[in-house]
Amino acid sequence: MKNISEKPATTKKEDRKTSIMQTALKLFSTEGFYTTTMPAIAKTLGMSVGNFYNYFSSKDQLAKELMLYISTVLGDKLREINMTDVSVKEKVTMIVHMYFSIARERPELIEYFLRVFLSNREIFTKECTGMVCVSGFVTELMLFFDEGVQSGELKDQDFFSALGLFMGYLGGMVFLNGEEVLTKPLNEYETAIAENIYNALRKQ
Amino acid sequence: MKPRLKVLWLQGVTCNGNTHSFLNYPHLLYVLETFEFLYHSLLPSTYTLEEISTCVHECDILIFEGAYDPRMERVGTSLETLVGHYGSHAKYVIAAGSCASFGGMFKHSDPEHITGLGFDEKEPKGPFASSPKLINLSGCPMHPEWMGYTLRMIADNKPIAVDELHRPKELYSYLAHHGCTRNEYFEWKVDSDHFGTKEGCLFYKQGCRGPMTHASCNKILWNDVSSKTRVGTPCFGCTEPDFPRINMFETKTNMSIPQDVPVGISKRSYLTMAGIAKSFHIPRLEKRLIDDDA
Ligand code: SF4
């Protein structure tokens, strides 16, 4: 008889897929996208190459799913913040904190976004055009800005000028941190950065 | 022969738009044969307005056009008295147009005193607030077929189910968006930069309220041929209690994100879908529909 605590096969496959993605993310963001091969990822995981292809049929497909995965992880966190009943100013602080915490605890997520997704657009043009792979995260940012303007706290402006200011700033700081240019740990910049972002976005 | 049902068409604060709209009803002859008009400002009537103002007659159906200001007088009799007398005897009270339904355009000249017959925007207020007799045919103006439908249902003694704003469900359960010829452009987020083009949706740039407006304008066409959105003019949401809003040719956005999204769809779901749809370029939809130079 089947043990009821046993996970169904689909969940097991999903778990395996997630662990493959985590390993792939680490390899891509440290070794580079082009230099990391599918057999190399399979080898790190102790899997046969044939079995590996059961999970991802091509490197491009893996690359796309990784971006979707990252966008979902960040989007879920941002959604929690959006649903919190605090001022927009406090939400800015929470978002900065969330982003830097992820950069510290799971740097491969941000590194992949900055060093693979943004730097190798040719891989993503076909299947990850526009918002397709980042919609989880970008939608939550839209909701955050929309609420900010509706509540009267933020200035009404073009979405991308606000997005660039917010995410460009955070991405830039994580990049500098990765390059070991910063003189202090990333979290010590949180308060000043949140204040700068809020001041730049708020209704004057 | 069955006695004809007696209709009284009274006017409050109005531009006569609903009267003019109703004159375009293709089956007007049927109406005149089936109903006796005690009074209408343009159609053949049994009595003059002066005779009506004495409040000695009774009607089966009171049709009221225009916003309701109880102090306004018709031949020396206040609307409060006229509507009170004829409305209390009538079996049905029909508010013709958005001013009579919710206060509409004219309410803005004196928001404290002027309302619809049973609503002040969406709040129940006025002489027929919460009355089961009240049927609202909102619209600026109401579609002639909507009045035709209502009168035919009454003549045939059939029940008219209404929504929470007393509008017939058969006419107002639809959205103006349903049946618009621009639906495919809406799906793929291809917008029109101008009025009057055959191509493009009017949601993002021209203020179209079709997806937020309960009306069957794109199902029951105007003059049997067309609708505002079909010819390339945005829907202004004229059947809703918040009509008229300001800047009706503009879509209210916050950081480029539309403030209002289609009825009953969460903003999160809408933005996810819209963002993805917008990511694709569909050359067929970006071209002229009929390109004479091609
Ligand atoms: S023009 Fe208006 S009614 Fe037509 S599809 Fe676009 S949003 Fe809908």
Side-chain angles (χ1 to χ4, degrees), chain B residues 176-177 180 182-183 186 201-203 208 210-211 229:
Chain B
H177 180 67
C180 175
R182 297 165 194 274
N183 278 181
F186 178 86
C201 168
L202 308 158
F203 184 69
C208 188
T229 65

PDB file of all heavy atoms in Angstrom, chain B residues 176-177 180 182-183 186 201-203 208 210-211 229, ligand 1:
ATOM      1  N   ALA B 176     -20.140  47.736 -21.968  1.00  0.00           N
ATOM      2  CA  ALA B 176     -20.048  48.380 -23.291  1.00  0.00           C
ATOM      3  C   ALA B 176     -18.905  47.744 -24.098  1.00  0.00           C
ATOM      4  O   ALA B 176     -18.930  47.730 -25.326  1.00  0.00           O
ATOM      5  CB  ALA B 176     -19.815  49.872 -23.130  1.00  0.00           C
ATOM      6  N   HIS B 177     -17.947  47.194 -23.410  1.00  0.00           N
ATOM      7  CA  HIS B 177     -16.796  46.516 -24.017  1.00  0.00           C
ATOM      8  C   HIS B 177     -17.208  45.240 -24.789  1.00  0.00           C
ATOM      9  O   HIS B 177     -16.545  44.865 -25.751  1.00  0.00           O
ATOM     10  CB  HIS B 177     -15.874  46.172 -22.847  1.00  0.00           C
ATOM     11  CG  HIS B 177     -14.618  45.464 -23.153  1.00  0.00           C
ATOM     12  ND1 HIS B 177     -13.586  46.026 -23.855  1.00  0.00           N
ATOM     13  CD2 HIS B 177     -14.194  44.222 -22.811  1.00  0.00           C
ATOM     14  CE1 HIS B 177     -12.587  45.165 -23.933  1.00  0.00           C
ATOM     15  NE2 HIS B 177     -12.933  44.066 -23.312  1.00  0.00           N
ATOM     16  N   CYS B 180     -17.496  45.091 -28.718  1.00  0.00           N
ATOM     17  CA  CYS B 180     -16.764  46.164 -29.396  1.00  0.00           C
ATOM     18  C   CYS B 180     -15.857  45.535 -30.444  1.00  0.00           C
ATOM     19  O   CYS B 180     -15.213  44.517 -30.194  1.00  0.00           O
ATOM     20  CB  CYS B 180     -15.944  46.961 -28.392  1.00  0.00           C
ATOM     21  SG  CYS B 180     -14.919  48.210 -29.183  1.00  0.00           S
ATOM     22  N   ARG B 182     -13.150  46.413 -31.323  1.00  0.00           N
ATOM     23  CA  ARG B 182     -11.734  46.620 -31.004  1.00  0.00           C
ATOM     24  C   ARG B 182     -11.216  45.627 -29.960  1.00  0.00           C
ATOM     25  O   ARG B 182     -10.110  45.789 -29.444  1.00  0.00           O
ATOM     26  CB  ARG B 182     -11.524  48.059 -30.506  1.00  0.00           C
ATOM     27  CG  ARG B 182     -11.851  49.054 -31.574  1.00  0.00           C
ATOM     28  CD  ARG B 182     -12.009  50.474 -31.066  1.00  0.00           C
ATOM     29  NE  ARG B 182     -12.631  51.247 -32.123  1.00  0.00           N
ATOM     30  CZ  ARG B 182     -11.968  51.845 -33.107  1.00  0.00           C
ATOM     31  NH1 ARG B 182     -10.663  51.819 -33.128  1.00  0.00           N
ATOM     32  NH2 ARG B 182     -12.604  52.489 -34.050  1.00  0.00           N
ATOM     33  N   ASN B 183     -11.990  44.626 -29.620  1.00  0.00           N
ATOM     34  CA  ASN B 183     -11.590  43.689 -28.557  1.00  0.00           C
ATOM     35  C   ASN B 183     -10.221  43.050 -28.774  1.00  0.00           C
ATOM     36  O   ASN B 183      -9.467  42.860 -27.825  1.00  0.00           O
ATOM     37  CB  ASN B 183     -12.633  42.578 -28.388  1.00  0.00           C
ATOM     38  CG  ASN B 183     -13.820  43.008 -27.529  1.00  0.00           C
ATOM     39  OD1 ASN B 183     -14.720  42.242 -27.275  1.00  0.00           O
ATOM     40  ND2 ASN B 183     -13.823  44.244 -27.058  1.00  0.00           N
ATOM     41  N   PHE B 186      -7.647  45.357 -27.707  1.00  0.00           N
ATOM     42  CA  PHE B 186      -7.605  45.432 -26.239  1.00  0.00           C
ATOM     43  C   PHE B 186      -6.791  44.258 -25.696  1.00  0.00           C
ATOM     44  O   PHE B 186      -5.942  44.428 -24.822  1.00  0.00           O
ATOM     45  CB  PHE B 186      -9.032  45.405 -25.667  1.00  0.00           C
ATOM     46  CG  PHE B 186      -9.075  45.440 -24.156  1.00  0.00           C
ATOM     47  CD1 PHE B 186      -9.039  46.641 -23.467  1.00  0.00           C
ATOM     48  CD2 PHE B 186      -9.147  44.260 -23.427  1.00  0.00           C
ATOM     49  CE1 PHE B 186      -9.062  46.667 -22.076  1.00  0.00           C
ATOM     50  CE2 PHE B 186      -9.178  44.280 -22.033  1.00  0.00           C
ATOM     51  CZ  PHE B 186      -9.133  45.496 -21.361  1.00  0.00           C
ATOM     52  N   CYS B 201      -7.364  50.069 -29.797  1.00  0.00           N
ATOM     53  CA  CYS B 201      -8.292  50.159 -28.677  1.00  0.00           C
ATOM     54  C   CYS B 201      -8.163  51.555 -28.072  1.00  0.00           C
ATOM     55  O   CYS B 201      -7.146  52.220 -28.228  1.00  0.00           O
ATOM     56  CB  CYS B 201      -7.911  49.071 -27.672  1.00  0.00           C
ATOM     57  SG  CYS B 201      -8.716  49.226 -26.089  1.00  0.00           S
ATOM     58  N   LEU B 202      -9.202  52.013 -27.385  1.00  0.00           N
ATOM     59  CA  LEU B 202      -9.211  53.389 -26.884  1.00  0.00           C
ATOM     60  C   LEU B 202      -9.009  53.436 -25.368  1.00  0.00           C
ATOM     61  O   LEU B 202      -9.220  54.455 -24.738  1.00  0.00           O
ATOM     62  CB  LEU B 202     -10.549  54.043 -27.264  1.00  0.00           C
ATOM     63  CG  LEU B 202     -10.893  53.918 -28.751  1.00  0.00           C
ATOM     64  CD1 LEU B 202     -12.379  54.067 -28.988  1.00  0.00           C
ATOM     65  CD2 LEU B 202     -10.118  54.937 -29.562  1.00  0.00           C
ATOM     66  N   PHE B 203      -8.605  52.291 -24.803  1.00  0.00           N
ATOM     67  CA  PHE B 203      -8.554  52.162 -23.333  1.00  0.00           C
ATOM     68  C   PHE B 203      -7.424  52.965 -22.678  1.00  0.00           C
ATOM     69  O   PHE B 203      -7.628  53.631 -21.679  1.00  0.00           O
ATOM     70  CB  PHE B 203      -8.417  50.683 -22.958  1.00  0.00           C
ATOM     71  CG  PHE B 203      -8.444  50.421 -21.476  1.00  0.00           C
ATOM     72  CD1 PHE B 203      -9.610  50.604 -20.753  1.00  0.00           C
ATOM     73  CD2 PHE B 203      -7.315  49.998 -20.796  1.00  0.00           C
ATOM     74  CE1 PHE B 203      -9.647  50.363 -19.377  1.00  0.00           C
ATOM     75  CE2 PHE B 203      -7.350  49.751 -19.426  1.00  0.00           C
ATOM     76  CZ  PHE B 203      -8.519  49.936 -18.718  1.00  0.00           C
ATOM     77  N   CYS B 208     -11.324  55.387 -22.734  1.00  0.00           N
ATOM     78  CA  CYS B 208     -12.486  54.506 -22.901  1.00  0.00           C
ATOM     79  C   CYS B 208     -12.863  53.787 -21.598  1.00  0.00           C
ATOM     80  O   CYS B 208     -12.033  53.189 -20.929  1.00  0.00           O
ATOM     81  CB  CYS B 208     -12.252  53.473 -24.004  1.00  0.00           C
ATOM     82  SG  CYS B 208     -13.764  52.549 -24.351  1.00  0.00           S
ATOM     83  N   GLY B 210     -15.339  51.478 -21.571  1.00  0.00           N
ATOM     84  CA  GLY B 210     -16.114  50.291 -21.971  1.00  0.00           C
ATOM     85  C   GLY B 210     -16.008  49.128 -20.998  1.00  0.00           C
ATOM     86  O   GLY B 210     -17.021  48.539 -20.617  1.00  0.00           O
ATOM     87  N   PRO B 211     -14.792  48.776 -20.543  1.00  0.00           N
ATOM     88  CA  PRO B 211     -14.680  47.606 -19.663  1.00  0.00           C
ATOM     89  C   PRO B 211     -15.191  47.846 -18.240  1.00  0.00           C
ATOM     90  O   PRO B 211     -15.205  46.943 -17.427  1.00  0.00           O
ATOM     91  CB  PRO B 211     -13.170  47.324 -19.637  1.00  0.00           C
ATOM     92  CG  PRO B 211     -12.605  48.058 -20.805  1.00  0.00           C
ATOM     93  CD  PRO B 211     -13.482  49.256 -20.988  1.00  0.00           C
ATOM     94  N   THR B 229     -17.709  53.323 -29.664  1.00  0.00           N
ATOM     95  CA  THR B 229     -16.366  52.724 -29.767  1.00  0.00           C
ATOM     96  C   THR B 229     -16.120  52.140 -31.155  1.00  0.00           C
ATOM     97  O   THR B 229     -14.996  52.125 -31.627  1.00  0.00           O
ATOM     98  CB  THR B 229     -16.152  51.648 -28.694  1.00  0.00           C
ATOM     99  OG1 THR B 229     -17.051  50.567 -28.939  1.00  0.00           O
ATOM    100  CG2 THR B 229     -16.369  52.193 -27.299  1.00  0.00           C
TER     101      THR B 229
HETATM  102  S1  SF4 C   1     -12.302  50.693 -27.397  1.00  0.00           S
HETATM  103 FE1  SF4 C   1     -13.166  50.555 -25.318  1.00  0.00          FE
HETATM  104  S2  SF4 C   1     -14.874  49.144 -25.509  1.00  0.00           S
HETATM  105 FE2  SF4 C   1     -13.612  48.880 -27.343  1.00  0.00          FE
HETATM  106  S3  SF4 C   1     -12.184  47.202 -26.837  1.00  0.00           S
HETATM  107 FE3  SF4 C   1     -11.140  49.108 -26.291  1.00  0.00          FE
HETATM  108  S4  SF4 C   1     -11.659  49.391 -24.115  1.00  0.00           S
HETATM  109 FE4  SF4 C   1     -13.118  47.907 -24.924  1.00  0.00          FE
END
